Amino acid sequence: MKDVVLKIKGIQKNLDGEDNTIELITEGKFYKKNGAYYLVYEESEISGMEGSTTTLRIQDDKILMKRFGTSNSKLIFEKNKRHKTSYHTQYGDFDMEVMTNKIEVDISDLGKGSIKLSYRLVISNAVESNNQLTIDIS
């Protein structure tokens, strides 16, 4: 397991065209296990999920994002595939659907590189947004 620095940038655009951008730099852990890369980091107040731990499992052209703590979710990002899941928060449970448009992974065994995702998110068949997520690992 290696200590890494993660620069995370998320852009969320709602159907009215309004952008919401979140940027954060945090420390995390990187390791490789059974042919997959893993990134683990603690969420912060900036992301609105303080008290949660996020784990990314990156394998081939598929990324699994799990969050545990104050909010629990499991998102699967796989190009041109639709994945349904549940999002558990302190305010209640919501159904979510993720449709990934673009996934770019460029990570070395040394734990350096980047992840770029572009996806559509639908929550409880009502809230819809187009999202971009970039994670730079150093």
Side-chain angles (χ1 to χ4, degrees), residues 4-136:
V4 291
V5 174
L6 304 174
K7 183 179 176 187
I8 302 166
K9 181 177 182 180
I11 302 171
Q12 185 176 55
K13 186 180 281 192
N14 66 21
L15 295 180
D16 296 329
E18 297 170 352
D19 281 5
N20 181 22
T21 302
I22 294 174
E23 290 187 71
L24 98 111
I25 296 174
T26 188
E27 295 177 351
K29 302 285 186 192
F30 171 87
Y31 61 96
K32 187 176 180 180
K33 180 179 171 186
N34 298 329
Y37 294 121
Y38 289 83
L39 284 174
V40 182
Y41 63 94
E42 301 294 322
E43 291 289 347
S44 71
E45 189 178 336
I46 294 169
S47 67
M49 292 177 268
E50 188 175 22
S52 294
T53 300
T54 297
T55 301
L56 294 172
R57 181 174 158 268
I58 305 120
Q59 188 165 26
D60 303 320
D61 290 333
K62 186 176 180 178
I63 296 176
L64 172 65
M65 177 187 285
K66 284 186 177 180
R67 288 199 172 107
F68 298 101
T70 53
S71 62
N72 297 313
S73 63
K74 180 173 128 178
L75 300 179
I76 299 171
F77 300 98
E78 198 170 8
K79 189 174 179 180
N80 298 325
K81 292 201 178 171
R82 187 181 312 268
H83 290 280
K84 294 184 178 192
T85 187
S86 293
Y87 183 45
H88 307 286
T89 73
Q90 57 194 5
Y91 307 107
D93 296 347
F94 304 93
D95 291 326
M96 286 197 321
E97 184 177 279
V98 177
M99 175 65 179
T100 305
N101 307 314
K102 181 177 89 173
I103 184 168
E104 291 178 13
V105 177
D106 180 16
I107 300 176
S108 74
D109 286 350
L110 301 174
K112 297 193 183 305
S114 66
I115 297 168
K116 293 179 182 169
L117 293 172
S118 176
Y119 60 97
R120 194 177 84 231
L121 189 63
V122 179
I123 301 174
S124 296
N125 294 318
V127 180
E128 189 170 325
S129 62
N130 290 306
N131 303 271
Q132 293 178 20
L133 178 66
T134 304
I135 301 174
D136 292 318

